[in-house]
Amino acid sequence: MELRRKRAYDTAEASDGFRVLVDRLWPRGVSKEHAAIDLWAKDTAPSPELRKDWHAASDDDWSTYADRYRAELENETAPALESLAGQLREHPIVTLVYAAHDEQHNHAVVLDAALRELL
């Protein structure tokens, strides 16, 4: 299985395969048609508290944020993560869709790594 990441504001393409929105909130200004989402996995997204803390933090705090999100994925979000991994195994290509502007420092990067361990 091939796992990819893509911003919600980028054009959806057939080559994206199974598209999974991994944000807790729907991306602002993106229509459901434009997003072409097959599954909305909001239960695997960072908790509302962590999301708010991250948006208020500087880029220098990335590792702290990533560690906190990993802890959520290993504990309270673990059942949702396992369920998502089970659903993704059925698809040859999966694209994790997220709204963050920074393509390297966002929760989808951490989620991608956690899923790769399970898949």
Side-chain angles (χ1 to χ4, degrees):
M1 183 191 107
E2 185 177 343
L3 192 57
R4 304 174 181 174
R5 293 186 309 271
K6 191 172 193 177
R7 292 194 67 232
Y9 302 100
D10 295 339
T11 303
E13 301 173 32
S15 62
D16 292 340
F18 190 72
R19 291 172 52 87
V20 181
L21 179 63
V22 295
D23 287 348
R24 191 166 295 273
L25 303 174
W26 190 266
R28 186 174 289 159
V30 176
S31 70
K32 295 197 189 286
E33 286 179 1
H34 176 77
I37 298 300
D38 297 303
L39 175 67
W40 187 2
K42 58 181 142 185
D43 292 339
T44 61
S47 66
E49 298 80 23
L50 181 54
R51 188 180 61 79
K52 288 175 189 173
D53 289 350
W54 173 244
H55 286 296
S58 70
D59 287 343
D60 295 336
D61 294 331
W62 162 247
S63 63
T64 301
Y65 164 79
D67 288 345
R68 286 179 58 194
Y69 183 39
R70 278 188 209 93
E72 285 186 358
L73 290 170
E74 292 171 3
N75 296 293
E76 57 268 19
T77 310
L81 180 64
E82 289 282 344
S83 176
L84 177 59
Q87 293 174 25
L88 300 186
R89 285 185 186 104
E90 301 172 12
H91 305 279
I93 299 173
V94 174
T95 299
L96 304 179
V97 180
Y98 61 94
H101 294 285
D102 187 334
E103 295 181 13
Q104 301 303 315
H105 300 100
N106 66 68
H107 72 284
V109 173
V110 177
L111 181 58
D112 181 306
L115 285 168
R116 287 178 191 278
E117 289 180 19
L118 294 174
L119 299 170

